[in-house]
Amino acid sequence: MSLSNRDYGITVEYDVMVPMRDGVVLATDIYYPATNDKRLEGVFPTILGRTSYGKNWKSLWIDPVANYFVPKNYVVVIQDIRGRGKSGGVGQYFHTVNCNEGLDGYDTVEWIASQTWSNGRVGMTGSSHSGIIQTVASLMNPPHLSAIWVDVAPTNIFAHEAREGGCMALWMFAALFLHAHDAPEISGDLQKRKDVLNGWQNIRNFIKDMPLKPGQTPLKWVPNLEKILFDYYHRGEYDEFWQMECCNQQQYFDRAADIPAVFSGGWYDPFAVATTNQYVAMSNKNRTSQRLDMGPWNHGGRRNGQTYSGDVDFGKDASYGIDGYGKQRLRWFDRWLKDIPNSVENDKPVRIFVMGGGDGKRNEHGRLNHGGIWREEEQWPLGRTEHIKFYFHDEGCLSADIPNHEMTQLSYIYDPNQPVPTIAATSAAGELLNLPDKFDLELEDPRDYMQTMFYDGGAHQKEKCGLLGSRE
């Protein structure tokens, strides 16, 4: 089967069942370089993606990874992780709390290296949960894992994902519907799948009707995901649950493989601090090339090619998408998996997008022209950073000037029946729009109809009809 007519064509071996050490098998698609629909002879480096989102998700895996790298003479392996898709271990998937993920990553990497078509070098890539999957595999030190590119991923789900700031991050409720709608536990029950989709569409009502109770949301049809919802919901203290390696990799960074690694993210991504902290830890520990790459994006902005986050636009230099992101990753993996002398190791280790400099006017899409530029640096945090204190002034502004008189008292009214809404924030999941009348659940992907419940990025802090929590 040919999927591409670029440099090389592609042939695909679907649903290869790769065995793990405990006997569970994981469904794996293998994309090979080909000419005239015939697989090329020889050995190749491999790009591995392990995913909870479905190995056949076109916009996440097929177009930006398989269709990009295979024509460039790579084998691409995309695998449904344990308990997802067609893989074994149904019922063992607990969102991002999966104790087998590190060992499964190790076993998959070493299985690839043992194949006759492998040159023995495996690189991993992936975003969000697939970034966590790379980190936990790295902690296992598989001998043939040669390079990684971790994008927009938390490393401590208590601090970065589920309980950031103390309260449960409510977008995690939406994330669990994202993972429940195609759960193998309900794949054969169309009514339960529709029930989950209906709950996802009505998630605002569930939030308004809190407190949540077991059995009262459609997540009850996927018991392992309902269980993890209430772990996220009730575990407000950092306890033995959050201390598990699958929840918090930060405490085990000393065990991470010393291999070339890129940690990429966005300033409006919920895991921006996790990304920068992981880079700092790995650059201090490892001798191999470590890189930090931070753009002006939200959780999906680098991959989607957008130039904006929320209500703010940063100009054409902020647009990456499949081609821009693909060129970045290709150069990285060419160096470490093919030994191509492209001097990537001589690049400055830190690349950041500095926001600002635009004219502040509204563009044709109604967003503020904020602008910005890319800048390369030698370190993070920046050694020449100046810390400036700002002070409240009684006219309602912040200034570096020290107030020269006693401030007038400022106050505001707090009404718990009218809580302050979230106008703009960071998020990695959203609600589901109403599906078209002729939507076919067997043939179409409801994820194409997701949207955030607030501005996913920068925005004027003003209530607006339609935003979660705003007065209608």
Side-chain angles (χ1 to χ4, degrees), residues 32-43:
Y32 304 98
T35 56
N36 299 320
D37 288 339
K38 183 178 180 181
R39 187 196 306 179
L40 289 180
E41 299 293 331
V43 295

Side-chain angles (χ1 to χ4, degrees), residues 104-125:
D104 287 352
Y106 182 106
D107 291 349
T108 301
V109 168
E110 295 309 300
W111 180 87
I112 290 170
S114 73
Q115 302 305 298
T116 57
W117 41 260
S118 172
N119 74 347
R121 297 188 190 183
V122 180
M124 293 184 74
T125 191

Side-chain angles (χ1 to χ4, degrees), residues 113-164:
S114 73
Q115 302 305 298
T116 57
W117 41 260
S118 172
N119 74 347
R121 297 188 190 183
V122 180
M124 293 184 74
T125 191
S127 303
S128 199
H129 188 190
S130 293
I132 301 175
I133 286 169
Q134 294 177 70
T135 297
V136 294
S138 171
L139 297 182
M140 298 294 110
N141 276 270
H144 294 91
L145 182 59
S146 303
I148 56 177
W149 189 303
V150 178
D151 183 51
V152 291
T155 57
N156 178 336
I157 67 172
F158 177 82
H160 307 143
E161 180 188 289
R163 305 286 308 198
E164 183 175 13

Side-chain angles (χ1 to χ4, degrees), residues 68-106:
Y68 194 91
F69 282 95
V70 178
K72 311 281 191 293
N73 221 19
Y74 284 86
V75 169
V76 167
V77 174
I78 307 175
Q79 181 182 78
D80 286 328
I81 66 171
R82 182 181 296 245
R84 296 293 289 166
K86 296 182 180 179
S87 288
V90 174
Q92 297 180 37
Y93 176 70
F94 295 91
H95 192 232
T96 57
V97 187
N98 304 304
C99 295
N100 294 297
E101 236 158 54
L103 291 176
D104 287 352
Y106 182 106

